[in-house]
Amino acid sequence: MGAGQPYFQYSINPIANIRTLNFNLAYHFMENSIFDPYLRLYLGYGKYSSLDPKVYHSGIGIGTRIFFNNNIYLLTEILTSRYDAYDTRSSFLQIGNSEEIRVWTINEVNAKIGAGINF
């Protein structure tokens, strides 16, 4: 290695630091069936980090569970969610008066596939 930048660089994507506590509400359309479709709503609140803006999380998902027997199932779900970050900003001329503004938004769409155990 010559003079200049080192070959190894350490970086963490800061967007992965979002932490939210979420409340999920699911409605199952055919609860006592082998095929169990559902609709899920997500609402959450959190922080980007301890000093950065507060984050509101909302989303909706649709999925299904396919039961192999009474306890074991395969799960598929498609969901879309949104993260809105709000920060309190005050201007120099308005000391004591602060305003909460949205500073960034992230929209995501993802899919889940998995297996589970029903208790």
Side-chain angles (χ1 to χ4, degrees):
M1 294 180 107
Q5 293 291 331
Y7 180 70
F8 178 74
Q9 294 182 356
Y10 181 75
S11 175
I12 295 177
N13 188 348
I15 211 68
N17 293 330
I18 299 172
R19 294 173 192 90
T20 59
L21 178 64
N22 295 294
F23 175 74
N24 297 320
L25 180 65
Y27 177 76
H28 293 261
F29 295 100
M30 300 167 65
E31 195 169 327
N32 295 324
S33 174
I34 293 174
F35 179 70
D36 181 21
Y38 62 88
L39 178 69
R40 185 187 316 265
L41 300 174
Y42 301 87
L43 292 174
Y45 173 79
K47 296 286 273 181
Y48 180 66
S49 72
S50 61
L51 300 175
D52 286 331
K54 56 185 162 183
V55 176
Y56 296 101
H57 177 217
S58 60
I60 188 168
I62 187 165
T64 187
R65 297 186 300 177
I66 300 170
F67 283 88
F68 296 115
N69 60 31
N70 287 339
N71 297 340
I72 298 174
Y73 60 88
L74 179 68
L75 170 90
T76 60
E77 182 176 9
I78 296 174
L79 62 102
T80 179
S81 63
R82 178 180 176 126
Y83 296 89
D84 290 311
Y86 289 86
D87 202 358
T88 304
R89 305 289 167 114
S90 60
S91 68
F92 179 72
L93 299 175
Q94 295 177 331
I95 298 174
N97 293 335
S98 59
E99 175 183 10
E100 192 172 84
I101 60 170
R102 186 172 63 205
V103 291
W104 51 260
T105 298
I106 297 174
N107 294 311
E108 79 174 347
V109 177
N110 60 46
K112 297 178 183 180
I113 298 174
I117 298 174
N118 191 27
F119 294 102

